[in-house]
């Protein structure tokens, strides 16, 4: 699902005008991005899940011929229990696009 489709469906589900939903979405992604950039974990409820910034450090033997890479952060998403359960049920029923 593309962002445009997501925002339109959210506006319909909430009964709000699309510009209001777009504004909330921009604010939410700004706050989420700012918190993750500061190294904070963002927990969006047991119904959805949480985002955690994690540091990836290269684990190479000092004598390895591979070019070393600088340590960097990546964002790990861990689904909440309810989302995990919903995805399992959907997979059993044959729903979803498989990837």
């Amino acid at each position: 699902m593309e962002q445009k489709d997501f925002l339109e469906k959210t506006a319909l589900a909430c009964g709000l005008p699309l510009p209001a939903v777009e504004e909330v979405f921009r604010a939410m992604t700004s706050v989420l991005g700012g918190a993750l950039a500061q190294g904070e974990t963002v927990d969006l409820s047991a119904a959805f899940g949480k985002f955690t910034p994690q540091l990836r450090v290269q684990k190479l033997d000092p004598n390895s011929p591979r070019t070393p890479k600088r340590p960097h952060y990546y964002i790990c998403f861990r689904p909440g229990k309810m989302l995990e359960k919903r995805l399992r049920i959907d997979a059993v029923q044959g729903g979803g696009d498989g990837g």
Side-chain angles (χ1 to χ4, degrees):
M1 177 184 299
E2 297 289 327
Q3 178 179 326
K4 179 183 174 192
D5 301 325
F6 176 77
L7 293 174
E8 288 172 354
K9 286 184 179 189
T10 302
L12 284 173
C14 294
L16 295 172
L18 185 59
V21 172
E22 289 172 338
E23 186 176 337
V24 169
F25 181 75
R26 277 193 300 275
M28 186 189 80
T29 55
S30 175
V31 170
L32 179 67
L36 292 171
Q38 292 179 358
E40 296 178 39
T41 293
V42 179
D43 191 348
L44 296 178
S45 82
F48 188 72
K50 70 177 165 181
F51 296 91
T52 308
Q54 295 183 350
L55 181 63
R56 180 168 288 157
V57 199
Q58 186 164 3
K59 299 172 185 159
L60 283 181
D61 179 357
N63 298 323
S64 173
R66 292 180 59 194
T67 304
K69 296 178 184 171
R70 294 184 354 201
H72 63 278
Y73 282 93
Y74 67 100
I75 304 301
C76 178
F77 174 73
R78 184 173 187 132
K81 296 281 184 195
M82 293 173 72
L83 178 59
E84 221 170 43
K85 183 178 178 182
R86 191 171 179 181
L87 291 172
R88 265 195 303 267
I89 290 171
D90 193 37
V92 168
Q93 293 175 350
D97 63 2

